[in-house]
Amino acid sequence: MRVTFPEGFLWGAATSAHQVEGGMDNDWTEWELANAERLADEASPRLDYGCGPLRAEEWLRVRNPAKDFTNYLSGDGIDHVHRWREDIELASSLGLRALRYSVEWSRIQPDADLVENRWIHHYIGRAIAMRELGIEPIITLHHFTNPKWFSRLGGWERPEAPHVFQHYVSNMAVAAADAGLDSVHWVVANEPELYATKGWVFGDWPPNKKFSPKSQKVIKHFAEAHKRSRDTIKAVDPTAMVSSAPHVIDFEAKKNILWPANKLAVAVGRGLLADQFSKRIAEDIDFVALNHYLHCVVNVGRIANNMGLFQNGNVPRSDLGWPLNPESMYNVLIDAGKKKLPVIITENGIATRDDALREKFTKETLYHVNRAMQEGVDVRGYLHWSLFDNFEWPPAGWWAKFGLVSVDPHTMERTVKPSGYAYSDIAKNNGFEIDASL
Ligand code: BGC
């Protein structure tokens, strides 16, 4: 069966500065240095996303890097900061028509009262170079990292945060307009509700706070920063397309004797955390930006037995232990379609060393994207996460292989994987053949 996409569909890939550039000096680099050894000590097969802990053979595949502290240091990245031009040329040769990258705020504003124009021009220069190659730049303004001075002053907990952030955004928006870049897609914030949950509820990410009510403040401040940023960007370029990308999980209540309680847990979890940010910015977006990876079956009975909340069962899973369910993309798109706006899938992918599995998972996911489009959801593009094997946030690190392209850590040589060529064929042909039994 042939799966066909409309002319002009934005086939692309996504990256973020901290995960590829190298040579960072921000609040995460500081945190990595302080926490790398602990993360290596604590690494275990207990990565349970509802399919049980990693099996012995799965853990064996990742144990060595996971137990090595250098795995948790972003370090030189994949040297994208110096190789970005050849990297976008590579993307262009693969037929990609969109690239999402993030601007590193700590490079633009290394001190509260210092703005580095050369770095503004660096990031704007990338967008110009992309357009020259027929690639649509999709520019993220915040992807988890902050300048150190900003975090020291209290980071996203502070009521002043949105205003401070707006100042940086204004510099970027004015520079883009001055460079003649109109109709740019901007993603103001990447997954702020996940950032708040990991940093202020589970305590896994900086600033490592557990069950802190400040998580709500952080989400609120991000929503305000989003609105202020959108106003600022639109004031200099009314044609700009502005959104922010939440981490959209397809939650399902386990149908067992506890079903009513499971449904309640899904509703409370979504209301308090997952949907908090999206709801606040619902009226202030020009397109829906959707990051989607996970389908989680919620069973509260598991908490009582101290087994975690999710119970996906014995389904295939990625190297990170994440359950693989390509069909969940259809569910989240149907939901996103209710907003009656264009949708761009700003992230979706799989961490795996089994490259054939990446190709299969991607095609199956795209089949479900296509199904949602047939039912009227206005999906304009799909950005695969990620173009390269890159630095993954804890508890993973360098061993999580999300890329269509691998990178030799010593020579930094890029090698397109078979899944990268398969994705390139899809992009160039605007479609692909898939087993009709799906
Ligand atoms: C983030 C990416 C990350 C990816 C895979 C998303 O939550 O935006 O930065 O690498 O998921 O974990």
Side-chain angles (χ1 to χ4, degrees), residues 19 143 190-191 194 247 293 322 347 385 392-393 402:
Q19 295 176 268
H143 199 121
N190 183 71
E191 303 182 347
L194 182 81
H247 180 87
Y293 295 89
W322 297 4
E347 276 184 40
W385 184 274
E392 175 61 15
W393 313 99
F402 271 100

Side-chain angles (χ1 to χ4, degrees), residues 58-97:
E58 292 170 335
W59 171 239
L60 259 182
R61 282 203 294 266
V62 297
R63 187 190 57 190
N64 285 349
K67 284 286 177 194
D68 175 355
F69 79 95
T70 60
N71 174 62
Y72 304 96
L73 301 172
S74 53
D76 292 336
I78 58 160
D79 196 31
H80 183 64
V81 73
H82 296 117
R83 295 167 198 248
W84 64 269
R85 197 179 284 277
E86 62 198 72
D87 286 343
I88 63 173
E89 282 165 2
L90 175 64
S92 164
S93 74
L94 292 174
L96 302 195
R97 298 198 51 243

Side-chain angles (χ1 to χ4, degrees), residues 252-358:
E252 181 187 329
K254 177 95 182 159
K255 289 201 182 67
N256 57 14
I257 194 166
L258 293 168
W259 193 38
N262 295 338
K263 280 204 294 191
L264 185 68
V266 169
V268 171
R270 291 188 66 155
L272 278 183
L273 287 167
D275 293 346
Q276 272 279 338
F277 177 72
S278 321
K279 273 199 201 130
R280 287 176 187 272
I281 62 160
E283 304 299 318
D284 300 282
I285 53 175
D286 300 301
F287 69 102
V288 179
L290 184 107
N291 290 1
H292 174 61
Y293 295 89
L294 286 167
H295 166 81
C296 291
V297 181
V298 173
N299 179 8
V300 293
R302 305 240 313 167
I303 314 182
N305 296 320
N306 204 15
M307 293 166 82
L309 181 59
F310 305 130
Q311 188 177 15
N312 282 65
N314 197 18
V315 296
R317 57 189 174 184
S318 76
D319 286 356
L320 283 172
W322 297 4
L324 301 176
N325 181 351
E327 195 171 354
S328 67
M329 181 59 93
Y330 170 82
N331 300 339
V332 295
L333 283 176
I334 292 295
D335 203 35
K338 294 179 191 151
K339 299 199 173 110
K340 302 283 176 226
L341 286 171
V343 179
I344 296 182
I345 298 156
T346 35
E347 276 184 40
N348 169 256
I350 167 175
T352 182
R353 282 156 196 257
D354 177 352
D355 194 52
L357 177 62
R358 183 183 340 276

Side-chain angles (χ1 to χ4, degrees), residues 6 9 29-30 64 113 131 158 160 184 196 200 252 262 265 288 290 316 328 355 358-359 366 372 386:
F9 189 78
T29 41
E30 204 170 34
N64 285 349
D113 48 9
R131 284 243 168 119
R158 277 206 315 156
E160 296 81 4
V184 170
W200 281 264
E252 181 187 329
N262 295 338
V288 179
L290 184 107
S328 67
D355 194 52
R358 183 183 340 276
E359 178 176 335
L366 289 170
S386 181

